[in-house]
Amino acid sequence: LILASGSQITEIYNVVMASGVPSSGSACRRLFSGKAIELNGEKIADMNYKVDLSDENVIKIGKKNFFKIVWNK
């Protein structure tokens, strides 16, 4: 997953929506409330959680969707 964000730090909600897995914003919120989002093996329930894109991160959405996050400056 390549993100072309102007900032090095962004909210995880934006990363999940950029992945294209949730079909809508409400579907994305349901994933967070169901604790179906993991960042580097840690479950994330807060949609406002800040992600440092300069680090190498792996995000898991649901059971089968894994993405390596790359920040495109």
Side-chain angles (χ1 to χ4, degrees), residues 22-66:
S23 58
S24 65
S26 60
C28 186
R29 286 189 292 277
R30 282 193 297 275
L31 287 170
F32 279 101
S33 66
K35 297 182 181 168
I37 308 293
E38 290 185 18
L39 181 67
N40 300 325
E42 178 185 343
K43 289 197 181 282
I44 307 294
D46 181 16
M47 291 190 310
N48 298 320
Y49 184 86
K50 302 289 184 191
V51 178
D52 186 359
L53 299 177
S54 64
D55 297 336
E56 188 173 299
N57 295 298
V58 176
I59 189 167
K60 179 182 174 190
I61 304 170
K63 288 185 179 181
K64 303 179 204 174
N65 300 301
F66 288 86

